[in-house]
Structure formats: structure tokens, C-alpha cells
Coordinates of all heavy atoms in Angstrom, one line a residue:
M90 N -23.8 -8.9 4.6 CA -24.7 -9.0 5.8 C -25.7 -7.9 5.6 O -25.4 -6.7 5.2 CB -23.9 -8.7 7.1 CG -24.7 -8.6 8.3 SD -23.7 -8.3 9.8 CE -23.0 -10.0 10.0
L91 N -26.9 -8.2 5.9 CA -28.0 -7.2 5.8 C -28.3 -6.7 7.2 O -28.4 -7.4 8.2 CB -29.3 -7.9 5.2 CG -29.3 -8.2 3.8 CD1 -30.6 -8.9 3.4 CD2 -29.1 -6.9 3.0
S92 N -28.5 -5.3 7.2 CA -28.8 -4.7 8.5 C -30.0 -3.7 8.2 O -29.8 -2.8 7.4 CB -27.6 -3.9 9.0 OG -28.0 -3.1 10.1
N93 N -31.1 -3.9 8.8 CA -32.3 -3.1 8.5 C -32.7 -3.1 7.0 O -33.0 -2.1 6.4 CB -32.2 -1.7 9.0 CG -32.1 -1.7 10.5 OD1 -32.6 -2.5 11.2 ND2 -31.3 -0.7 11.0
G94 N -32.5 -4.2 6.3 CA -32.8 -4.3 4.9 C -31.8 -3.7 4.0 O -32.0 -3.6 2.8
K95 N -30.7 -3.2 4.5 CA -29.6 -2.6 3.7 C -28.3 -3.4 3.9 O -28.1 -4.0 4.9 CB -29.3 -1.1 4.2 CG -30.5 -0.2 4.0 CD -30.2 1.2 4.4 CE -31.4 2.1 4.2 NZ -31.1 3.4 4.7
L96 N -27.6 -3.4 2.8 CA -26.3 -4.1 2.8 C -25.3 -3.4 3.7 O -25.1 -2.1 3.6 CB -25.7 -4.2 1.4 CG -24.4 -4.9 1.3 CD1 -24.5 -6.4 1.7 CD2 -23.9 -4.8 -0.2
D97 N -24.7 -4.1 4.6 CA -23.7 -3.5 5.6 C -22.4 -4.2 5.2 O -22.0 -5.2 5.8 CB -24.2 -3.8 7.0 CG -23.2 -3.2 8.0 OD1 -22.4 -2.3 7.7 OD2 -23.2 -3.7 9.2
A98 N -21.7 -3.7 4.2 CA -20.4 -4.3 3.8 C -19.3 -3.6 4.5 O -19.1 -2.4 4.5 CB -20.3 -4.0 2.3
K99 N -18.5 -4.5 5.2 CA -17.4 -4.0 6.0 C -16.2 -4.9 5.7 O -16.3 -6.1 5.5 CB -17.6 -4.0 7.5 CG -18.7 -3.1 7.9 CD -18.9 -3.1 9.4 CE -20.0 -2.1 9.8 NZ -20.3 -2.2 11.2
Q100 N -15.0 -4.3 5.6 CA -13.8 -5.1 5.3 C -13.3 -5.6 6.7 O -13.3 -4.8 7.6 CB -12.7 -4.2 4.7 CG -13.1 -3.8 3.3 CD -12.0 -2.9 2.7 OE1 -11.0 -2.6 3.3 NE2 -12.1 -2.6 1.5
K101 N -13.0 -6.8 6.8 CA -12.5 -7.4 8.0 C -11.1 -8.0 7.8 O -10.9 -8.7 6.8 CB -13.4 -8.5 8.5 CG -14.8 -8.0 8.9 CD -14.8 -7.2 10.2 CE -16.2 -6.9 10.6 NZ -16.2 -6.0 11.8
Q102 N -10.2 -7.7 8.6 CA -8.9 -8.3 8.6 C -8.1 -8.0 7.3 O -7.1 -8.7 7.1 CB -8.9 -9.8 8.9 CG -9.6 -10.1 10.1 CD -9.8 -11.6 10.3 OE1 -9.6 -12.4 9.4 NE2 -10.2 -12.0 11.5
V103 N -8.4 -7.1 6.5 CA -7.7 -6.9 5.2 C -6.3 -6.5 5.5 O -5.4 -7.0 4.9 CB -8.5 -5.8 4.3 CG1 -7.6 -5.5 3.1 CG2 -9.8 -6.4 3.9
D104 N -6.1 -5.5 6.4 CA -4.7 -5.1 6.7 C -3.9 -6.3 7.2 O -2.7 -6.5 6.8 CB -4.7 -4.0 7.8 CG -5.2 -2.7 7.3 OD1 -5.4 -2.6 6.0 OD2 -5.4 -1.8 8.1
M105 N -4.4 -7.1 8.1 CA -3.7 -8.3 8.6 C -3.4 -9.2 7.5 O -2.2 -9.7 7.4 CB -4.6 -9.0 9.6 CG -4.1 -10.3 10.0 SD -3.1 -10.4 11.5 CE -4.1 -9.7 12.7
L106 N -4.3 -9.5 6.6 CA -4.0 -10.4 5.5 C -3.0 -9.9 4.5 O -2.1 -10.7 4.1 CB -5.3 -10.7 4.7 CG -6.4 -11.5 5.6 CD1 -7.7 -11.5 4.8 CD2 -5.9 -12.8 6.0
I107 N -3.0 -8.6 4.2 CA -2.0 -8.0 3.4 C -0.6 -8.1 4.1 O 0.4 -8.5 3.5 CB -2.3 -6.6 3.0 CG1 -3.6 -6.5 2.1 CG2 -1.1 -5.9 2.3 CD1 -4.1 -5.1 1.8
G108 N -0.6 -7.8 5.3 CA 0.6 -7.8 6.1 C 1.2 -9.2 6.2 O 2.4 -9.4 6.0
L109 N 0.4 -10.2 6.4 CA 0.8 -11.6 6.4 C 1.4 -12.0 5.0 O 2.5 -12.7 4.9 CB -0.3 -12.6 6.8 CG -0.7 -12.6 8.2 CD1 -2.0 -13.3 8.5 CD2 0.4 -13.1 9.1
D110 N 0.7 -11.6 3.9 CA 1.3 -11.9 2.6 C 2.6 -11.3 2.3 O 3.5 -11.9 1.8 CB 0.2 -11.5 1.5 CG -1.0 -12.4 1.4 OD1 -0.9 -13.5 2.0 OD2 -2.0 -12.0 0.8
I111 N 2.7 -10.0 2.7 CA 4.0 -9.3 2.5 C 5.1 -9.9 3.3 O 6.2 -10.1 2.8 CB 3.8 -7.8 2.7 CG1 2.9 -7.2 1.6 CG2 5.2 -7.1 2.7 CD1 2.6 -5.7 1.9
A112 N 4.8 -10.2 4.6 CA 5.8 -10.9 5.4 C 6.2 -12.2 4.9 O 7.4 -12.5 4.8 CB 5.2 -11.0 6.8
H113 N 5.3 -13.0 4.4 CA 5.6 -14.3 3.8 C 6.5 -14.2 2.6 O 7.6 -14.8 2.5 CB 4.4 -15.1 3.5 CG 4.6 -16.3 2.7 ND1 5.0 -17.5 3.4 CD2 4.5 -16.6 1.4 CE1 5.2 -18.4 2.5 NE2 4.8 -18.0 1.3
V114 N 6.1 -13.3 1.7 CA 6.9 -13.0 0.5 C 8.3 -12.5 0.9 O 9.3 -13.0 0.3 CB 6.2 -12.0 -0.4 CG1 7.1 -11.5 -1.5 CG2 5.0 -12.6 -1.0
S115 N 8.5 -11.7 1.9 CA 9.8 -11.1 2.2 C 10.6 -12.2 2.9 O 11.8 -12.3 2.6 CB 9.7 -9.9 3.0 OG 9.1 -10.1 4.3
Y116 N 10.1 -13.0 3.8 CA 10.9 -14.0 4.5 C 11.3 -15.1 3.6 O 12.4 -15.6 3.7 CB 10.1 -14.6 5.7 CG 9.9 -13.7 6.9 CD1 8.7 -13.5 7.5 CD2 11.0 -13.0 7.4 CE1 8.5 -12.7 8.6 CE2 10.8 -12.1 8.5 CZ 9.6 -12.0 9.0 OH 9.4 -11.1 10.1
Q117 N 10.5 -15.4 2.6 CA 10.8 -16.5 1.7 C 11.6 -16.0 0.5 O 11.9 -16.8 -0.4 CB 9.5 -17.2 1.2 CG 8.7 -17.9 2.3 CD 9.4 -19.0 3.0 OE1 10.1 -19.8 2.3 NE2 9.4 -19.1 4.3
K118 N 11.8 -14.7 0.4 CA 12.6 -14.1 -0.7 C 11.9 -14.5 -2.1 O 12.5 -14.8 -3.0 CB 14.0 -14.6 -0.7 CG 14.8 -14.4 0.6 CD 15.0 -13.0 0.9 CE 16.0 -12.9 2.1 NZ 15.8 -11.8 2.9
L119 N 10.6 -14.3 -2.1 CA 9.8 -14.6 -3.3 C 9.7 -13.5 -4.3 O 9.1 -13.6 -5.4 CB 8.4 -15.1 -2.9 CG 8.4 -16.4 -2.1 CD1 7.0 -16.7 -1.6 CD2 9.0 -17.6 -2.8
A120 N 10.1 -12.3 -3.9 CA 10.1 -11.1 -4.7 C 11.2 -10.2 -4.3 O 11.8 -10.4 -3.3 CB 8.7 -10.4 -4.5
D121 N 11.4 -9.1 -5.1 CA 12.4 -8.1 -4.8 C 11.8 -6.8 -4.5 O 12.5 -5.9 -4.1 CB 13.5 -8.1 -5.8 CG 13.0 -7.7 -7.2 OD1 11.8 -7.6 -7.4 OD2 13.8 -7.6 -8.1
K122 N 10.5 -6.6 -4.8 CA 9.8 -5.4 -4.5 C 8.4 -5.6 -4.0 O 7.8 -6.6 -4.3 CB 9.6 -4.6 -5.8 CG 10.8 -4.1 -6.5 CD 10.5 -3.4 -7.8 CE 11.7 -3.2 -8.6 NZ 11.4 -3.2 -10.0
V123 N 8.0 -4.6 -3.2 CA 6.6 -4.6 -2.7 C 6.0 -3.3 -3.1 O 6.6 -2.2 -2.8 CB 6.5 -4.8 -1.2 CG1 5.1 -4.5 -0.7 CG2 7.0 -6.1 -0.7
I124 N 4.9 -3.3 -3.8 CA 4.2 -2.1 -4.2 C 2.9 -2.1 -3.4 O 2.0 -2.9 -3.6 CB 3.9 -2.0 -5.7 CG1 5.2 -2.1 -6.5 CG2 3.2 -0.7 -6.0 CD1 5.1 -2.2 -8.0
L125 N 2.8 -1.1 -2.5 CA 1.7 -1.1 -1.5 C 0.7 0.0 -1.9 O 1.1 1.2 -1.8 CB 2.1 -0.9 -0.1 CG 1.1 -0.9 1.0 CD1 0.4 -2.2 1.1 CD2 1.7 -0.5 2.3
F126 N -0.5 -0.3 -2.4 CA -1.5 0.7 -2.7 C -2.3 1.0 -1.5 O -3.5 0.6 -1.4 CB -2.4 0.2 -3.8 CG -1.7 0.1 -5.2 CD1 -0.9 -1.0 -5.5 CD2 -1.8 1.2 -6.1 CE1 -0.3 -1.0 -6.7 CE2 -1.1 1.2 -7.3 CZ -0.4 0.0 -7.6
S127 N -1.7 1.6 -0.5 CA -2.4 1.9 0.8 C -1.7 3.1 1.4 O -0.5 3.2 1.3 CB -2.4 0.7 1.7 OG -2.9 1.1 3.0
K128 N -2.4 3.9 2.1 CA -1.8 5.0 2.9 C -2.1 4.8 4.4 O -1.9 5.7 5.2 CB -2.4 6.4 2.4 CG -2.0 6.7 1.0 CD -2.5 8.0 0.6 CE -2.2 8.3 -0.9 NZ -2.8 9.5 -1.4
D129 N -2.5 3.6 4.7 CA -2.9 3.3 6.1 C -1.6 3.1 6.9 O -0.8 2.2 6.6 CB -3.7 2.0 6.1 CG -4.3 1.7 7.4 OD1 -3.8 2.2 8.5 OD2 -5.2 0.9 7.5
S130 N -1.4 3.9 7.9 CA -0.2 3.9 8.7 C -0.1 2.5 9.5 O 1.0 2.2 10.0 CB -0.1 5.1 9.7 OG -1.2 5.1 10.5
D131 N -1.2 1.8 9.6 CA -1.1 0.4 10.2 C -0.2 -0.5 9.4 O 0.3 -1.5 9.9 CB -2.5 -0.2 10.2 CG -3.4 0.4 11.3 OD1 -2.9 1.2 12.1 OD2 -4.6 0.1 11.3
M132 N 0.1 -0.1 8.1 CA 1.0 -0.9 7.3 C 2.5 -0.7 7.5 O 3.3 -1.4 7.0 CB 0.7 -0.7 5.8 CG -0.8 -1.0 5.4 SD -1.3 -2.7 5.9 CE -0.4 -3.6 4.7
K133 N 2.8 0.3 8.4 CA 4.2 0.6 8.7 C 5.0 -0.6 9.1 O 6.1 -0.9 8.6 CB 4.3 1.7 9.7 CG 5.8 2.1 10.0 CD 6.0 2.6 11.4 CE 6.2 1.5 12.3 NZ 7.0 1.5 13.4
P134 N 4.6 -1.4 10.1 CA 5.4 -2.6 10.5 C 5.7 -3.6 9.4 O 6.8 -4.1 9.4 CB 4.5 -3.2 11.6 CG 3.6 -2.2 12.1 CD 3.3 -1.3 10.9
V135 N 4.8 -3.8 8.5 CA 5.1 -4.8 7.5 C 6.0 -4.2 6.4 O 6.8 -4.9 5.8 CB 3.8 -5.4 6.8 CG1 3.2 -4.4 5.9 CG2 4.1 -6.7 6.2
L136 N 5.9 -2.9 6.2 CA 6.9 -2.3 5.3 C 8.3 -2.4 5.9 O 9.3 -2.6 5.2 CB 6.6 -0.8 5.0 CG 5.4 -0.5 4.1 CD1 5.2 1.0 4.0 CD2 5.7 -1.1 2.7
K137 N 8.4 -2.2 7.2 CA 9.7 -2.3 7.9 C 10.2 -3.8 7.7 O 11.4 -4.0 7.5 CB 9.5 -1.9 9.4 CG 10.8 -1.9 10.1 CD 10.6 -1.5 11.5 CE 11.9 -1.4 12.3 NZ 11.7 -0.9 13.7
V138 N 9.4 -4.7 7.9 CA 9.8 -6.1 7.7 C 10.3 -6.4 6.3 O 11.3 -7.0 6.1 CB 8.6 -7.1 8.0 CG1 8.9 -8.5 7.5 CG2 8.3 -7.1 9.5
A139 N 9.5 -5.9 5.3 CA 9.9 -6.0 3.9 C 11.3 -5.4 3.7 O 12.2 -6.0 3.1 CB 8.9 -5.5 3.0
R140 N 11.5 -4.2 4.1 CA 12.8 -3.5 3.9 C 13.9 -4.2 4.6 O 15.0 -4.3 4.1 CB 12.7 -2.1 4.4 CG 11.9 -1.2 3.4 CD 11.9 0.2 3.7 NE 13.2 0.8 3.3 CZ 13.7 1.9 3.9 NH1 13.1 2.4 4.9 NH2 14.8 2.3 3.5
T141 N 13.7 -4.6 5.9 CA 14.8 -5.3 6.6 C 15.1 -6.7 6.0 O 16.2 -7.2 6.2 CB 14.5 -5.4 8.1 OG1 13.3 -6.2 8.3 CG2 14.4 -4.1 8.8
N142 N 14.2 -7.2 5.2 CA 14.5 -8.4 4.5 C 15.0 -8.2 3.0 O 15.0 -9.1 2.2 CB 13.3 -9.4 4.5 CG 13.2 -10.0 5.8 OD1 13.9 -11.0 6.1 ND2 12.3 -9.6 6.7
G143 N 15.3 -7.0 2.7 CA 15.9 -6.7 1.4 C 15.0 -6.3 0.3 O 15.4 -6.2 -0.8
L144 N 13.7 -6.2 0.5 CA 12.8 -5.9 -0.5 C 12.7 -4.3 -0.7 O 12.8 -3.6 0.3 CB 11.4 -6.4 -0.2 CG 11.1 -7.8 -0.7 CD1 11.8 -8.8 0.2 CD2 9.6 -8.1 -0.6
M145 N 12.6 -3.9 -1.9 CA 12.3 -2.5 -2.2 C 10.9 -2.2 -1.9 O 10.0 -3.0 -2.4 CB 12.7 -2.1 -3.6 CG 12.5 -0.7 -4.0 SD 13.0 -0.4 -5.7 CE 13.1 1.4 -5.6
T146 N 10.6 -1.2 -1.2 CA 9.2 -0.8 -0.9 C 8.7 0.4 -1.6 O 9.4 1.5 -1.5 CB 8.9 -0.7 0.6 OG1 9.8 0.3 1.1 CG2 9.2 -2.0 1.4
I147 N 7.6 0.3 -2.3 CA 7.1 1.4 -3.2 C 5.7 1.7 -2.8 O 4.9 0.8 -2.7 CB 7.2 1.1 -4.6 CG1 8.7 0.7 -5.0 CG2 6.7 2.2 -5.5 CD1 8.8 0.0 -6.3
I148 N 5.4 3.0 -2.7 CA 4.0 3.4 -2.4 C 3.6 4.4 -3.5 O 4.1 5.5 -3.6 CB 3.8 4.1 -1.1 CG1 4.1 3.1 0.1 CG2 2.3 4.6 -0.9 CD1 4.0 3.7 1.4
P149 N 2.6 3.9 -4.4 CA 2.1 4.9 -5.4 C 1.0 5.8 -4.9 O 0.3 5.3 -4.0 CB 1.5 3.9 -6.5 CG 1.4 2.6 -5.9 CD 2.2 2.6 -4.6
T150 N 1.0 7.0 -5.3 CA -0.1 7.9 -4.9 C -0.4 8.9 -6.0 O 0.4 9.1 -6.9 CB 0.4 8.7 -3.6 OG1 -0.7 9.5 -3.1 CG2 1.6 9.6 -3.9
L151 N -1.6 9.4 -5.9 CA -2.0 10.4 -6.9 C -1.7 11.8 -6.4 O -1.9 12.2 -5.2 CB -3.5 10.3 -7.1 CG -4.0 9.1 -7.8 CD1 -5.5 9.0 -7.8 CD2 -3.5 9.0 -9.2
K152 N -1.2 12.7 -7.3 CA -0.9 14.1 -7.0 C -2.1 14.8 -6.4 O -2.0 15.7 -5.6 CB -0.3 14.8 -8.2 CG 1.1 14.3 -8.6 CD 1.6 15.1 -9.8 CE 2.9 14.6 -10.2 NZ 3.4 15.2 -11.5
E153 N -3.3 14.4 -6.9 CA -4.5 15.1 -6.6 C -5.1 14.6 -5.2 O -6.1 15.1 -4.8 CB -5.6 15.0 -7.7 CG -5.2 15.6 -9.0 CD -4.4 14.6 -9.9 OE1 -4.0 13.5 -9.4 OE2 -4.1 15.0 -11.0
S154 N -4.5 13.7 -4.6 CA -5.1 13.0 -3.4 C -5.2 14.0 -2.3 O -4.3 14.8 -2.0 CB -4.2 11.9 -3.0 OG -4.7 11.3 -1.8
R155 N -6.3 13.9 -1.6 CA -6.5 14.8 -0.4 C -5.8 14.2 0.8 O -5.6 14.8 1.9 CB -8.0 14.9 -0.1 CG -8.7 15.7 -1.1 CD -10.2 15.8 -0.7 NE -10.9 16.4 -1.8 CZ -12.2 16.5 -1.9 NH1 -12.9 16.0 -0.8 NH2 -12.8 17.0 -2.9
H156 N -5.4 12.9 0.7 CA -4.8 12.2 1.9 C -3.3 11.9 1.5 O -3.0 11.0 0.8 CB -5.5 11.0 2.2 CG -7.0 11.2 2.4 ND1 -7.5 11.8 3.5 CD2 -8.1 11.0 1.6 CE1 -8.8 11.9 3.5 NE2 -9.2 11.4 2.3
P157 N -2.4 12.7 2.0 CA -1.0 12.4 1.7 C -0.5 11.1 2.4 O -1.1 10.6 3.3 CB -0.3 13.6 2.3 CG -1.1 14.1 3.4 CD -2.5 13.8 3.0
V158 N 0.6 10.6 1.9 CA 1.3 9.5 2.5 C 1.8 9.9 3.9 O 2.5 10.9 4.0 CB 2.4 8.9 1.6 CG1 3.1 7.8 2.3 CG2 1.9 8.5 0.2
T159 N 1.5 9.2 4.9 CA 1.9 9.5 6.3 C 3.4 9.5 6.4 O 4.1 8.7 5.7 CB 1.2 8.6 7.3 OG1 1.7 7.3 7.2 CG2 -0.3 8.7 7.2
Y160 N 3.9 10.2 7.4 CA 5.3 10.2 7.7 C 5.8 8.8 8.0 O 6.9 8.4 7.6 CB 5.6 11.1 8.9 CG 7.0 11.0 9.4 CD1 8.1 11.6 8.7 CD2 7.3 10.3 10.6 CE1 9.4 11.5 9.2 CE2 8.6 10.1 11.1 CZ 9.6 10.7 10.3 OH 10.9 10.6 10.8
L161 N 5.1 8.0 8.8 CA 5.5 6.6 9.1 C 5.7 5.8 7.9 O 6.6 4.9 7.9 CB 4.5 6.0 10.1 CG 4.5 6.6 11.5 CD1 3.4 6.0 12.3 CD2 5.8 6.4 12.2
L162 N 4.8 5.9 6.9 CA 4.9 5.1 5.7 C 6.1 5.6 4.9 O 6.9 4.8 4.3 CB 3.7 5.1 4.9 CG 2.5 4.4 5.5 CD1 1.3 4.4 4.5 CD2 2.8 2.9 5.8
K163 N 6.3 6.9 4.8 CA 7.5 7.4 4.1 C 8.8 7.0 4.7 O 9.7 6.7 4.0 CB 7.4 9.0 4.1 CG 6.4 9.6 3.2 CD 6.5 11.1 3.3 CE 5.4 11.7 2.4 NZ 5.5 13.2 2.5
L164 N 8.8 6.9 6.0 CA 10.0 6.5 6.8 C 10.4 5.0 6.4 O 11.6 4.8 6.3 CB 9.7 6.5 8.3 CG 10.8 6.2 9.2 CD1 11.9 7.3 9.1 CD2 10.3 6.2 10.7
H165 N 9.5 4.2 6.1 CA 9.8 2.8 5.7 C 9.5 2.5 4.3 O 9.4 1.3 3.9 CB 9.0 1.9 6.7 CG 9.5 2.0 8.1 ND1 10.7 1.5 8.5 CD2 8.9 2.5 9.1 CE1 10.8 1.7 9.8 NE2 9.8 2.4 10.2
S166 N 9.5 3.5 3.4 CA 9.4 3.3 2.0 C 10.6 3.7 1.3 O 11.2 4.7 1.6 CB 8.2 4.1 1.4 OG 7.0 3.6 2.0
D167 N 11.0 3.0 0.3 CA 12.2 3.4 -0.5 C 11.8 4.4 -1.6 O 12.6 5.2 -2.0 CB 12.8 2.1 -1.2 CG 13.4 1.2 -0.3 OD1 14.2 1.6 0.5 OD2 13.0 0.0 -0.3
L168 N 10.5 4.3 -2.0 CA 10.1 5.2 -3.1 C 8.6 5.5 -2.9 O 7.8 4.6 -2.7 CB 10.3 4.6 -4.4 CG 9.9 5.3 -5.7 CD1 10.7 6.6 -5.9 CD2 10.1 4.4 -6.9
I169 N 8.3 6.8 -3.0 CA 6.9 7.2 -3.1 C 6.7 7.7 -4.6 O 7.4 8.6 -5.1 CB 6.6 8.4 -2.2 CG1 6.9 8.1 -0.8 CG2 5.1 8.8 -2.3 CD1 6.2 7.0 -0.1
R170 N 5.9 6.9 -5.3 CA 5.7 7.2 -6.8 C 4.4 8.0 -6.9 O 3.3 7.5 -6.7 CB 5.6 5.9 -7.5 CG 5.5 6.0 -9.0 CD 6.8 6.5 -9.6 NE 6.7 6.8 -11.0 CZ 7.1 6.0 -12.0 NH1 7.6 4.9 -11.7 NH2 6.9 6.4 -13.2
E171 N 4.6 9.3 -7.3 CA 3.5 10.2 -7.4 C 3.2 10.5 -8.9 O 4.1 10.9 -9.6 CB 3.8 11.5 -6.7 CG 2.6 12.4 -6.5 CD 3.0 13.6 -5.7 OE1 3.8 14.4 -6.1 OE2 2.4 13.7 -4.6
K172 N 1.9 10.3 -9.3 CA 1.5 10.6 -10.7 C 0.2 11.3 -10.6 O -0.6 11.1 -9.7 CB 1.4 9.4 -11.5 CG 2.7 8.8 -12.0 CD 2.4 7.7 -13.0 CE 3.7 7.2 -13.6 NZ 3.5 6.3 -14.7
S173 N -0.1 12.1 -11.6 CA -1.4 12.7 -11.7 C -2.4 11.7 -12.3 O -2.0 10.8 -13.0 CB -1.4 14.0 -12.6 OG -1.1 13.6 -13.9
I174 N -3.7 12.0 -12.2 CA -4.7 11.1 -12.8 C -4.5 11.1 -14.3 O -4.6 10.1 -15.0 CB -6.1 11.6 -12.4 CG1 -6.3 11.3 -10.9 CG2 -7.2 10.9 -13.2 CD1 -7.6 11.9 -10.4
T175 N -4.2 12.2 -14.9 CA -3.9 12.3 -16.3 C -2.8 11.4 -16.8 O -2.9 10.7 -17.8 CB -3.7 13.8 -16.7 OG1 -4.8 14.6 -16.3 CG2 -3.5 13.9 -18.2
E176 N -1.7 11.5 -16.0 CA -0.5 10.6 -16.3 C -0.9 9.1 -16.3 O -0.5 8.3 -17.1 CB 0.6 10.9 -15.4 CG 1.3 12.2 -15.6 CD 2.3 12.5 -14.5 OE1 1.9 12.4 -13.3 OE2 3.4 12.9 -14.8
V177 N -1.7 8.8 -15.3 CA -2.1 7.3 -15.1 C -3.0 6.9 -16.3 O -2.8 5.9 -16.9 CB -2.8 7.1 -13.8 CG1 -3.5 5.7 -13.8 CG2 -1.9 7.3 -12.6
L178 N -4.0 7.8 -16.7 CA -4.9 7.5 -17.8 C -4.1 7.4 -19.1 O -4.4 6.6 -19.9 CB -6.0 8.5 -17.8 CG -7.0 8.4 -16.6 CD1 -8.0 9.5 -16.7 CD2 -7.7 7.0 -16.6
N179 N -3.2 8.4 -19.3 CA -2.4 8.3 -20.5 C -1.5 7.1 -20.7 O -1.3 6.6 -21.7 CB -1.5 9.6 -20.7 CG -2.4 10.8 -21.0 OD1 -3.5 10.7 -21.6 ND2 -1.8 12.0 -20.7
S180 N -1.0 6.6 -19.5 CA -0.2 5.4 -19.6 C -1.0 4.2 -19.9 O -0.4 3.2 -20.5 CB 0.5 5.2 -18.2 OG -0.4 4.8 -17.2
L181 N -2.3 4.2 -19.7 CA -3.1 3.1 -20.0 C -3.4 3.0 -21.6 O -3.7 1.9 -22.1 CB -4.5 3.2 -19.3 CG -4.4 3.1 -17.8 CD1 -5.8 3.3 -17.2 CD2 -3.8 1.7 -17.4
K182 N -3.2 4.1 -22.3 CA -3.5 4.2 -23.7 C -2.4 3.5 -24.5 O -2.6 3.1 -25.6 CB -3.7 5.6 -24.2 CG -4.9 6.3 -23.6 CD -4.9 7.7 -24.1 CE -6.1 8.5 -23.5 NZ -6.1 9.9 -23.9
N183 N -1.2 3.4 -23.9 CA 0.0 2.9 -24.6 C 0.1 1.4 -24.6 O -0.2 0.7 -23.8 CB 1.3 3.5 -24.1 CG 1.3 5.0 -24.3 OD1 0.7 5.5 -25.3 ND2 1.9 5.8 -23.4

């Protein structure tokens, strides 16, 4: 969408769509793990749904991040996987 001649790009309903996908996968038993690349505490309810349906919930994060994983997400995650940027880049070389 253009606003005053500039691109006005906004994400709409992304959290809802991710939540619906995770809920569907967990209810249908289509996976055994969910890896959520988000620190948005709005995702807490869907992590809870996934865990109560037997899925392992994992949140990856960077050690250098200025935004830590929130308490609510930690509460409903089985694993917080923390790596440095160097570790991530080195793993791509292999």
C-alpha cells in the first residue's frame, strides 16, 4: 500500500495465522515438535496448546539479542535454544 508516495508495509494477522497453523498441527498430531522463531508473548496461548497436545516446544534465540525471551514464553516452552551469531554462521559452513 502506498501512503504519501511511500510504501507502507505492515504485517496483518501474522500471529493469528501462525497460531492457527500450530494449533492445527498439534490437534492433528502432524508433528512432534514446534520451533517458534518469535519472542512475541502473544504466542503464549498457542505454545500452551502445542504442549498440552504433546508437542515439544522450542524457541531459538541469539545470545547477543537485546530482547530476551519473555517469562510467559519460557513458561510454555520445553527448550530455549541459545546460540551466538558466530555459532549460527559456523554451522552453515558445515
Side-chain angles (χ1 to χ4, degrees):
M90 174 181 284
L91 287 177
S92 174
N93 296 330
K95 295 181 181 178
L96 181 63
D97 182 20
K99 294 181 182 175
Q100 296 180 354
K101 297 285 186 185
Q102 303 174 348
V103 174
D104 290 352
M105 167 96 56
L106 295 171
I107 291 170
L109 287 169
D110 285 345
I111 292 172
H113 174 75
V114 166
S115 66
Y116 288 133
Q117 298 296 318
K118 308 289 188 211
L119 300 174
D121 57 358
K122 294 178 195 154
V123 170
I124 302 173
L125 180 66
F126 289 85
S127 174
K128 294 181 185 176
D129 189 340
S130 59
D131 289 348
M132 301 306 290
K133 181 209 86 143
V135 78
L136 285 179
K137 185 176 181 179
V138 166
R140 286 186 77 208
T141 58
N142 282 285
L144 275 68
M145 180 179 197
T146 57
I147 303 166
I148 299 179
T150 186
L151 292 173
K152 290 179 182 175
E153 298 87 354
S154 177
R155 293 181 188 173
H156 306 287
V158 178
T159 66
Y160 171 75
L161 290 175
L162 289 181
K163 286 180 182 179
L164 186 64
H165 293 289
S166 298
D167 294 305
L168 177 65
I169 306 295
R170 183 70 188 260
E171 189 176 67
K172 285 190 173 190
S173 70
I174 292 173
T175 303
E176 289 172 310
V177 172
L178 293 174
N179 286 338
S180 70
L181 296 174
K182 293 178 184 176
N183 297 329

